């Protein structure tokens, strides 16, 4: 029995979708986000450097995630799959960022779904892992919002 990981965060950002898209597809730039200690592109995408087939590695303190981009719709949708994770193994279904233009603002929804792949412990970790991931997503989205507000003021 493997536990579900299902985290979701959303925010409305004070910038047009193409500007938000430029931020969320600058994978090495993720290192600027709160809680992220390192970020790098391991492999560029097939048709676009950040596109389908691109592989990014994100380190958050003691945890690291290697993610492959599986969907890439400019200024609209970015989806990824965690292909490696340490120290907790995640059996990842899919993660995605959906951008919806609202005039000169953009609504962003960030979702990730998977399982904590640890026998016995998985069920115990399900709630804290989901909570930690959701809090991380929220902190990053709020940071992006504050950053955009600083730039525009």
């Amino acid at each position: 029995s493997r536990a579900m990981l299902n985290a979701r965060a959303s925010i409305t950002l004070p910038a047009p979708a193409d500007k938000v898209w430029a931020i969320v597809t600058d994978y090495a730039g993720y290192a600027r986000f709160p809680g992220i200690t390192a970020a790098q592109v391991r492999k560029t995408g097939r048709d676009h450097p950040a596109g389908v087939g691109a592989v990014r590695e994100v380190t958050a303190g003691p945890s690291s995630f290697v993610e492959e981009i599986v969907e890439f719709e400019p200024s609209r949708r970015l989806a990824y799959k965690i292909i490696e994770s340490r120290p907790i193994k995640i059996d990842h279904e899919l993660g995605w960022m959906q951008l919806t233009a609202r005039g000169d603002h953009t609504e962003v929804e960030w979702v990730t779904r998977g399982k904590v792949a640890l026998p016995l412990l998985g069920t115990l970790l399900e709630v804290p892992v989901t909570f930690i991931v959701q809090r991380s997503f929220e902190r990053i989205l709020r940071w992006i919002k504050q950053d955009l507000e600083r730039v525009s003021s």
Side-chain angles (χ1 to χ4, degrees):
S1 70
R2 284 183 301 183
M4 286 305 294
L5 160 67
N6 195 345
R8 181 188 170 277
S10 62
I11 200 166
T12 298
L13 298 172
D18 57 346
K19 194 168 180 184
V20 173
W21 184 254
I23 296 168
V24 301
T25 56
D26 172 19
Y27 307 140
Y30 280 33
R32 298 181 306 143
F33 299 160
I36 307 293
T37 41
Q40 59 166 324
V41 175
R42 275 199 182 180
K43 188 180 152 197
T44 54
R46 289 195 283 278
D47 303 321
H48 183 284
V52 172
V55 176
R56 64 189 186 191
E57 182 172 4
V58 179
T59 306
S63 306
S64 74
F65 304 93
V66 177
E67 303 168 335
E68 181 177 358
I69 305 305
V70 293
E71 286 174 51
F72 187 85
E73 288 176 51
S75 301
R76 290 189 52 184
R77 182 177 163 93
L78 177 72
Y80 60 94
K81 218 171 143 53
I82 296 171
I83 52 175
E84 276 174 51
S85 61
R86 292 188 306 270
I88 294 174
K89 186 159 165 27
I90 305 287
D91 181 2
H92 202 225
E93 202 175 296
L94 195 67
W96 69 89
M97 275 186 175
Q98 187 83 35
L99 277 59
T100 308
R102 300 256 181 260
D104 55 356
H105 285 58
T106 306
E107 202 176 287
V108 179
E109 184 187 39
W110 190 356
V111 179
T112 190
R113 292 204 178 124
K115 294 186 177 85
V116 176
L118 283 178
L120 305 169
L121 274 178
T123 4
L124 292 174
L125 290 172
E126 169 189 12
V127 174
V129 168
T130 297
F131 177 76
I132 290 163
V133 170
Q134 196 153 301
R135 283 287 298 275
S136 302
F137 284 6
E138 286 166 357
R139 277 177 65 203
I140 289 168
L141 292 174
R142 277 200 305 269
W143 185 92
I144 293 172
K145 184 178 184 191
Q146 286 162 355
D147 195 52
L148 287 166
E149 286 167 349
R150 271 199 300 277
V151 170
S152 63
S153 62

